[in-house]
Amino acid sequence: MGRAPSTSTSLPSIAPSPPIPHSVVQRIGFIYVHAGPANVQAGEANIGVVIRPDMQGHGYAREAIQLVLCWAFEELKFHRVQAAILDTPCKDRAMKLFIGLGFSHEGTRRRAVYQPEGQGIAAMWRDVTYLAMLDTEWVLRNAGKGKGKRPELRMSLWDEMFARHAREQEQLLKWEEKHGGIKRSASTETLK
């Protein structure tokens, strides 16, 4: 925690599992973790998960993400893991999943990804919402859930945004005090 992974541009290799006969395997989806060379140096990885529609709602995605986060933070020593969620009909479920795991909303890039026409969907630009978890949040995720302690209630997305706004406003006021303030003017004055 607190230190970036090595400056090597590749992730450590993992010993392959012994093959499982196809008659036993039931694929329910996939999860990915990606970190390009710049991401590895910055200690940042991207995560995503896709689950077959008939297998959703059973907790498989939650379990898979928790295992991958454990690997990313505890073994690979990443500082930050982010999820980029495309504006699709599944967006709300994905946001609920990641926020429920402790990810924080960081923002939305409007019309950031072009989706070409196909599979009955018209071509269009889509928004991408970013959620992330830091290594410190991973370590503290179970704080307060011990013997005799009340579990911490997760903030709603709105509460989190209002709290962040209040922190940023406080930081701006401190900056203004230190640097002599900002000249304030009416918004119409800037148009002159």
Side-chain angles (χ1 to χ4, degrees):
M1 189 171 65
R3 67 175 205 246
S6 69
T7 56
S8 167
T9 58
S10 62
L11 295 174
S13 61
I14 299 173
S17 301
I20 301 171
H22 286 289
S23 61
V24 177
V25 175
Q26 181 183 11
R27 300 205 193 304
I28 61 170
F30 66 89
I31 187 165
Y32 69 86
V33 176
H34 172 74
N39 297 106
V40 171
Q41 290 178 351
E44 177 179 278
N46 296 293
I47 188 171
V49 63
V50 176
I51 302 291
R52 281 186 0 212
D54 62 319
M55 299 305 269
Q56 293 176 4
H58 299 285
Y60 300 130
R62 176 177 295 278
E63 183 180 352
I65 292 169
Q66 287 173 328
L67 290 170
V68 168
L69 289 173
C70 181
W71 177 63
F73 287 124
E74 295 177 18
E75 291 183 38
L76 299 179
K77 305 296 185 198
F78 276 101
H79 163 69
R80 183 175 185 282
V81 176
Q82 79 173 10
I85 301 172
L86 198 61
D87 187 15
T88 65
C90 300
K91 176 186 173 190
D92 291 339
R93 288 184 77 175
M95 296 242 335
K96 183 179 176 184
L97 171 66
F98 282 103
I99 289 170
L101 286 167
F103 280 64
S104 297
H105 182 268
E106 293 193 323
T108 300
R109 290 183 60 211
R110 298 177 305 137
R111 297 182 55 163
V113 173
Y114 183 74
Q115 180 179 7
E117 186 176 341
Q119 298 179 357
I121 299 172
M124 65 186 308
W125 286 95
R126 295 212 178 254
D127 295 348
V128 179
T129 300
Y130 288 89
L131 305 172
M133 179 184 281
L134 301 177
D135 53 359
T136 51
E137 294 167 328
W138 173 254
V139 170
L140 296 174
R141 72 194 179 286
N142 291 323
K145 290 185 181 177
K147 212 175 191 180
K149 296 181 183 177
R150 251 177 62 192
E152 179 187 336
L153 296 175
R154 292 284 313 150
M155 278 200 262
S156 73
L157 183 56
W158 287 109
D159 291 338
E160 186 179 322
M161 288 182 359
F162 286 131
R164 184 183 309 150
H165 174 73
R167 282 192 311 272
E168 290 170 353
Q169 189 173 26
E170 187 176 317
Q171 290 170 346
L172 180 60
L173 290 172
K174 285 180 184 178
W175 185 89
E176 285 179 342
E177 286 176 13
K178 183 178 178 181
H179 298 288
I182 297 173
K183 180 184 174 212
R184 299 189 185 274
S185 61
S187 60
T188 56
E189 188 176 319
T190 58
L191 299 174
K192 295 179 184 177

